[in-house]
């Protein structure tokens, strides 16, 4: 089943979004995160134990999500907050717009939120005549650039400081220098005034603690704190998968998250919000709304293999080590969550009709699973989704074109027959000779033409059996001596 996701970038449009600096900017940033993570993890002898506990808590929560969500709702309401359930992206957008209309909101400040990216909230707000401003520096940059994020935690990772300076100069009509400190100062000046005048603050959420109905925000910039305390109205849009049982669980995830994401012991700001401010003079908004977003998550929960994707704590460590992500960048994944986690989440959420290439966009090297702080078996889920694309299962029909499925079936049959394989490897060099040019195959007939459209194929080396016979004969002679 596919769910509406308004900001999907199609494969064909991908090239329009790729700045010239990919992959070098991505490689530079991700290698910094990888070495930072390694140092912090080495300081913690019980790291593997923590990973296992984190994984167990997430699995337990996934299996009992209805219980924890019900508890969460009761606790948020008891603390004076409002809870809204959104089955689809459209429902979530309408809920936020309705709240904004009721309070006559003209401008909104936002802290970084993947859930609002998922539902295309900025676009909906702008269409309704409400200014929506991203206040996380990376999100602010990509909002100016008019693109989506290219990394889960570092949205503008694909841009170098020179490109950001050029963007600021063009969009803000100033002469911005390529200096990170100066660029941050410029952004801060623009944003400070917006915080003061906004009618509504919108955030996502890293975790939702069912025990007390508390929203947890983990940030490094302090903008999240300003979005959620300066305006009188705070709306948090959070996926239902973010619920965790209690505060004790949180202590595990906070240790895993910062180390895996940025190589820090703890992120700079960890904020806890339990309902609106309760007393006159208490810091915080007067009204708090929590929008719990489903948008296909309930369906994914039914699949015992695929649902492990919801163990994710969105640290981005899998992308930082992925050899594919580092070379193609985030936009190639076609959706706002990129990297290995995107490759297992998008096909389940968007449907394999829309995102069937993603499970194949992996070398299955397993580096992602090795670093994942909550032990998500990413390669296993990738293979599970490949099977779904090729053969279909009880959750989705096969989406691979019939021609490719038939060809793969025939190839599988042929490879399993010894005599057929032997004849095939004898004939293959003759067939390849027709297409070979300078030891490459620049054009091949369908279905291999899908590959050669993009790059030439090396000729198949089908002489293994002959080579093996020679090796055996030589080693026989050697041992006879
Ligand atoms: S899949 Fe694991 S490594 Fe990747 S973002 Fe999620 S928690 Fe982090």
């Amino acid at each position: 089943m596919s769910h509406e996701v308004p900001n999907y970038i199609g494969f064909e449009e991908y090239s329009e979004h790729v700045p010239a600096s990919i992959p070098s900017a991505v490689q530079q940033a991700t290698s910094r995160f990888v070495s930072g993570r390694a140092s912090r993890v080495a300081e913690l002898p019980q790291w593997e134990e923590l990973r296992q506990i984190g994984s167990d808590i997430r699995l337990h929560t996934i299996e009992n999500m209805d219980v924890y969500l019900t508890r969460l709702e009761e606790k948020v309401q008891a603390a004076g907050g409002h809870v809204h359930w959104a089955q689809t992206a459209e429902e979530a957008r309408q809920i936020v717009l309705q709240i904004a209309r009721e309070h006559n909101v003209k401008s909104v400040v936002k802290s970084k939120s993947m859930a609002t990216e998922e539902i295309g909230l900025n676009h909906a707000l702008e269409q309704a005549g409400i200014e929506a401003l991203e206040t996380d520096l990376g999100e602010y940059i990509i909002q100016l650039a008019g693109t989506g994020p290219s990394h889960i935690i570092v949205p503008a990772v694909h841009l170098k400081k020179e490109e950001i300076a050029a963007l600021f100069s063009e969009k803000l009509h100033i002469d911005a220098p390529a200096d990170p400190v100066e660029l941050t100062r410029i952004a801060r000046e623009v944003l400070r005034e917006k915080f003061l005048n906004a009618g509504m603050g919108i955030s996502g959420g890293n975790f939702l603690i069912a025990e007390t109905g508390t929203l947890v925000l983990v940030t490094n910039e302090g903008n999240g704190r300003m979005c959620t305390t300066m305006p009188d109205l705070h709306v948090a849009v959070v996926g239902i998968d973010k619920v965790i049982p209690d505060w004790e669980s949180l202590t595990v995830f906070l240790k895993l998250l910062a180390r895996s994401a940025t190589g820090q012991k703890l992120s700079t700001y960890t904020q806890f919000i339990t309902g609106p401010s309760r007393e006159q003079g208490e810091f915080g908004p007067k009204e708090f709304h929590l929008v719990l977003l489903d948008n296909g998550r309930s369906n994914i929960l039914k699949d015992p293999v695929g649902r492990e994707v919801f163990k994710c704590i969105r640290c981005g460590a899998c992308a930082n080590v992925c050899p594919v992500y580092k070379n193609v960048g985030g936009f190639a994944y076609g959706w706002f969550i990129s990297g290995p986690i995107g490759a297992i989440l998008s096909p389940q959420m968007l449907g394999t009709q829309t995102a069937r290439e993603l499970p194949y966009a992996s070398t299955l090297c397993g580096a992602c699973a090795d670093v994942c702080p909550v032990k998500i078996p990413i390669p296993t889920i990738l293979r599970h989704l490949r099977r779904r694309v090729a053969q279909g299962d009880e959750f989705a029909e096969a989406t691979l074109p019939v021609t490719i499925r038939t060809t793969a079936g025939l190839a599988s049959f042929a490879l399993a027959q010894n005599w057929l394989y032997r004849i095939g490897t004898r004939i293959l060099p003759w067939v390849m000779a027709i297409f070979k040019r300078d030891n490459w195959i620049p054009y091949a007939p369908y279905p291999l033409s899908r590959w050669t459209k993009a790059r030439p194929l090396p000729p198949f080396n089908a002489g293994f059996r002959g080579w093996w016979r020679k090796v055996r004969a030589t080693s026989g002679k050697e041992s006879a001596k």
Side-chain angles (χ1 to χ4, degrees), residues 152 311-319 341 368 371-374 376 378:
I152 303 180
K311 285 169 32 182
C312 180
I313 55 172
R314 303 285 192 270
C315 68
C318 53
I341 178 63
C368 48
V371 295
C372 177
V374 281
I376 299 179
I378 297 172

Side-chain angles (χ1 to χ4, degrees), residues 132-209:
L133 195 78
E134 295 290 347
T135 62
D136 170 272
L137 182 57
E139 288 283 344
Y140 175 65
I141 291 167
I142 60 167
Q143 188 179 33
L144 282 182
T147 66
S150 67
H151 188 282
I152 303 180
I153 60 158
V154 207
V157 71
H158 56 285
L159 294 174
K160 291 191 162 177
K161 58 181 188 292
E162 292 77 13
E163 287 162 326
I164 297 169
L167 181 71
F168 276 28
S169 301
E170 182 201 332
K171 301 286 179 178
L172 303 176
H173 312 293
I174 53 169
D175 188 15
D179 170 22
V181 175
E182 193 54 27
L183 290 170
T184 309
R185 191 194 59 74
I186 293 168
R188 192 183 292 134
E189 245 169 47
V190 175
L191 295 174
R192 197 49 63 111
E193 187 163 329
K194 301 288 181 181
F195 281 122
L196 292 168
N197 297 320
M200 182 197 262
I202 296 182
S203 75
N206 293 83
F207 303 102
L208 292 165
I209 307 175

Side-chain angles (χ1 to χ4, degrees), residues 350-366:
L350 304 172
T352 44
Q353 190 66 49
T354 309
R356 70 163 175 251
E357 293 89 357
L358 289 181
Y360 295 90
S362 167
T363 62
L364 297 179
C365 70

Side-chain angles (χ1 to χ4, degrees), residues 12 27 60 70 87 108 116 133 167 212 235 242 251 253 267 287 300 305 334 394 415 420 428 481:
E12 291 73 25
Q27 279 171 343
H60 165 81
T70 309
Q87 203 60 38
V108 162
T116 59
L133 195 78
L167 181 71
T212 50
V235 179
K242 294 297 180 73
T251 59
F253 295 123
S267 300
E287 210 171 304
I300 300 174
V305 179
E394 67 265 46
L415 289 169
L420 207 51
L428 203 55
K481 277 182 193 169

Side-chain angles (χ1 to χ4, degrees), residues 99-403:
I99 299 169
R101 281 190 204 107
E102 281 166 10
H103 293 78
N104 199 21
V105 170
K106 297 278 178 279
S107 73
V108 162
V109 280
K110 286 184 71 229
S111 76
K112 185 168 167 298
S113 154
M114 284 297 182
T116 59
E117 293 277 356
E118 177 182 330
I119 63 171
L121 186 59
N122 285 5
H123 185 62
L125 287 166
E126 272 151 29
Q127 288 218 316
I130 300 169
E131 183 194 35
L133 195 78
E134 295 290 347
T135 62
D136 170 272
L137 182 57
E139 288 283 344
Y140 175 65
I141 291 167
I142 60 167
Q143 188 179 33
L144 282 182
T147 66
S150 67
H151 188 282
I152 303 180
I153 60 158
V154 207
V157 71
H158 56 285
L159 294 174
K160 291 191 162 177
K161 58 181 188 292
E162 292 77 13
E163 287 162 326
I164 297 169
L167 181 71
F168 276 28
S169 301
E170 182 201 332
K171 301 286 179 178
L172 303 176
H173 312 293
I174 53 169
D175 188 15
D179 170 22
V181 175
E182 193 54 27
L183 290 170
T184 309
R185 191 194 59 74
I186 293 168
R188 192 183 292 134
E189 245 169 47
V190 175
L191 295 174
R192 197 49 63 111
E193 187 163 329
K194 301 288 181 181
F195 281 122
L196 292 168
N197 297 320
M200 182 197 262
I202 296 182
S203 75
N206 293 83
F207 303 102
L208 292 165
I209 307 175
E211 186 183 15
T212 50
T214 303
L215 170 76
V216 183
L217 292 175
V218 182
T219 62
N220 269 322
E221 294 181 15
N223 65 305
R225 191 164 286 198
M226 293 173 81
C227 283
T228 55
T229 51
M230 294 183 76
D232 278 343
L233 179 61
H234 173 201
V235 179
V237 183
V238 190
I240 54 171
D241 51 306
K242 294 297 180 73
V243 69
I244 57 171
D246 47 29
W247 285 79
E248 208 176 334
S249 315
L250 183 71
T251 59
V252 175
F253 295 123
L254 289 183
K255 283 194 187 91
L256 292 170
L257 178 57
R259 283 176 170 84
S260 303
T262 45
Q264 291 167 286
K265 281 187 183 162
L266 199 62
S267 300
T268 314
Y269 300 92
T270 305
Q271 196 184 348
F272 308 110
I273 299 164
T274 312
S277 59
R278 276 167 289 275
E279 288 164 19
Q280 200 65 20
E282 194 183 76
F283 208 47
K286 294 194 176 75
E287 210 171 304
F288 171 71
H289 294 258
L290 174 63
V291 182
L292 288 168
L293 178 67
D294 187 314
N295 202 26
R297 287 165 174 80
S298 299
N299 279 325
I300 300 174
L301 283 173
K302 293 177 198 156
D303 176 357
V305 179
R307 69 184 178 189
E308 283 209 49
V309 72
F310 291 140
K311 285 169 32 182
C312 180
I313 55 172
R314 303 285 192 270
C315 68
C318 53
N320 297 341
V321 295
C322 176
V324 177
Y325 175 86
K326 277 199 274 195
N327 282 297
V328 300
F331 295 123
Y333 291 80
W335 199 36
F336 70 94
I337 292 193
S338 54
I341 178 63
I344 57 172
L345 182 61
S346 313
Q348 298 196 76
M349 205 167 248
L350 304 172
T352 44
Q353 190 66 49
T354 309
R356 70 163 175 251
E357 293 89 357
L358 289 181
Y360 295 90
S362 167
T363 62
L364 297 179
C365 70
C368 48
D370 288 347
V371 295
C372 177
V374 281
K375 294 193 162 189
I376 299 179
I378 297 172
T380 305
I381 302 177
L382 284 169
R383 283 197 298 273
H384 172 70
L385 294 173
R386 285 182 185 186
R387 199 170 306 118
R388 178 176 295 172
V389 170
Q391 298 169 358
D393 60 15
E394 67 265 46
F395 302 104
E397 283 178 12
T399 50
L400 209 62
V402 177
T403 41

